């Protein structure tokens, strides 16, 4: 790591608000590292052990994974990133989701001496999120997200690698609703936490992908 403080961007909001989409754009343009909890959990499932099987079952229902497992996953990833030379920044996608995660993350940033932190809420309505998630497709091979906009609607296979397109395990209506329910109950407490600290940055997530990205960059650069 260089002497300059790394930029830490925390992207959170309702499921389907566009976290993954915006992380990819930030990575492409600025080479930031990412800590995407959902992605790391899906990789963890592939190990196929007892914890992996249990994670798959809970995620498939759209429920939250317990914090003790999340912390282990984050710390492993942070150690991996800290080991890299000259990393410029980190985008955290989808954590914290409950108040205790937010508080422990504050403690972790202090411990690592990171102060340049931007908690960004990508704000979209419940209905808007539901509509996006019921139509989302992803590439089975490379994981590219296929938005339900313009010419992407007609894609039969991935336009990057020709891989098969599939629906994510937790994009069934019941699991989508469960994820949107825990947003109201749990994630809103995280929003309040950052608001009380006067650190919350709100970006309108209902705009086009390009406009959201423009506003996000204005807020963090
Ligand atoms: P995670 O994988 O993070 O899922 P999520 O939070 O439900 O969010 P999604 O990935 O579904 O949506 P997104 O916001 O990334 O939107 P996307 O860019 O894909 O977590 C999954 C699960 O892991 C959780 O439910 C939980 O079980 C567990 N978990 C994770 N973190 C945890 C934690 N910290 N603690 C406990 N448990 C945890 O966009 C959605 C769609 O819309 C795509 O098709 C995209 O192309 C399209 N789109 C994006 N932006 C736009 C736009 N502006 N206009 C039009 N379309 C758009
Ligand atoms: Mg995502």
């Amino acid at each position: 790591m260089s002497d300059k403080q790394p930029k830490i961007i925390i992207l959170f909001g309702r499921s389907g608000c566009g976290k993954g989409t915006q992380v990819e754009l930030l990575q492409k343009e600025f080479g930031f590292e990412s800590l995407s909890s959902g992605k790391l959990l899906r990789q963890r499932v592939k190990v196929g052990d007892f914890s992996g099987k249990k994670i798959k079952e809970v995620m498939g229902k759209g429920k939250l994974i317990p914090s003790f497992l999340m912390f282990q996953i984050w710390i492993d990833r942070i150690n991996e990133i800290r080991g890299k030379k000259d990393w410029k920044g980190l985008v955290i996608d989808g954590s914290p989701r409950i108040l205790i995660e937010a508080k422990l993350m504050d403690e972790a940033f202090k411990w690592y001496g990171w102060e340049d932190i931007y908690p960004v809420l990508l704000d979209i309505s419940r209905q808007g999120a539901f509509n996006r998630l019921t139509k989302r497709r992803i590439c089975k091979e490379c994981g590219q997200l296929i938005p339900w906009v313009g010419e992407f609607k007609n894609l039969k296979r991935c336009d990057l690698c020709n891989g098969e397109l599939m629906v994510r395990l937790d994009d069934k209506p019941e699991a989508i609703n469960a994820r949107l329910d825990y947003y109201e109950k749990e994630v809103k407490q995280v929003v309040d936490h950052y608001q009380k600290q006067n650190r919350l940055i709100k970006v309108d997530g209902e705009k086009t992908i390009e406009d959201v990205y423009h506003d996000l960059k204005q807020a963090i650069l």
Side-chain angles (χ1 to χ4, degrees):
M1 195 182 79
S2 63
D3 289 343
K4 211 169 160 248
Q5 275 275 331
K7 214 179 254 302
I8 313 285
I9 300 140
I10 303 171
L11 280 188
F12 68 113
R14 285 192 168 88
S15 297
C17 65
K19 303 181 292 291
T21 304
Q22 298 297 326
V23 169
E24 276 181 24
L25 294 172
L26 286 170
Q27 281 191 293
K28 218 180 269 171
E29 185 169 353
F30 300 102
F32 289 154
E33 299 293 333
S34 74
L35 191 168
S36 298
S37 49
K39 215 180 220 177
L40 291 168
L41 285 165
R42 284 184 283 279
Q43 281 168 11
R44 184 65 188 74
V45 164
K46 288 190 185 149
V47 175
D49 58 3
F50 179 79
S51 296
K53 286 184 183 136
K54 188 106 182 149
I55 291 171
K56 185 176 179 187
E57 186 194 320
V58 173
M59 276 177 90
K61 290 183 185 151
K63 301 254 171 77
L64 288 168
I65 301 300
S67 303
F68 78 92
L69 273 172
M70 295 316 304
F71 295 143
Q72 189 195 16
I73 284 168
W74 295 344
I75 298 304
D76 286 351
R77 178 72 186 123
I78 285 176
N79 280 328
E80 223 174 76
I81 295 166
R82 289 228 54 153
K84 294 187 181 186
K85 262 176 77 189
D86 292 329
W87 61 284
K88 304 174 201 77
L90 169 65
V91 198
I92 300 177
D93 155 5
S95 293
R97 285 188 200 225
I98 62 170
L99 192 54
I100 186 178
E101 288 186 2
K103 289 184 174 168
L104 276 154
M105 222 173 228
D106 287 348
E107 197 178 303
F109 294 148
K110 220 175 191 175
W111 165 265
Y112 288 112
W114 298 334
E115 290 166 358
D116 199 17
I117 298 161
Y118 302 80
V120 181
L121 171 67
L122 290 181
D123 205 14
I124 68 167
S125 66
R126 181 166 179 143
Q127 189 58 49
F130 187 84
N131 292 345
R132 279 188 196 169
L133 292 176
T134 47
K135 295 195 177 95
R136 173 171 61 187
R137 297 179 297 165
I138 56 171
C139 173
K140 206 172 176 177
E141 304 304 322
C142 72
Q144 192 202 182
L145 295 164
I146 314 291
W148 194 253
V149 292
E151 65 209 38
F152 287 104
K153 290 185 188 174
N154 303 322
L155 280 186
K156 298 276 181 279
R157 298 189 75 88
C158 177
D159 59 336
L160 293 181
C161 73
N162 201 34
E164 200 183 316
L165 301 182
M166 59 172 241
V167 171
R168 222 169 78 175
L169 193 67
D170 54 355
D171 278 347
K172 302 180 287 285
E174 322 82 70
I176 294 173
N177 274 319
R179 281 143 73 208
L180 294 173
D181 284 347
Y182 73 58
Y183 177 84
E184 308 299 330
K185 214 170 138 231
E186 308 288 354
V187 188
K188 276 196 174 163
Q189 294 187 44
V190 175
V191 177
D192 291 345
H193 172 76
Y194 291 128
Q195 202 147 33
K196 275 185 204 145
Q197 296 178 337
N198 270 331
R199 294 200 290 154
L200 183 72
I201 300 166
K202 258 195 201 180
V203 167
D204 181 357
E206 304 270 4
K207 295 185 180 176
T208 63
I209 293 175
E210 296 74 21
D211 286 348
V212 173
Y213 187 53
H214 171 269
D215 293 353
L216 174 61
K217 283 200 291 184
Q218 294 274 96
I220 61 166
L221 294 179

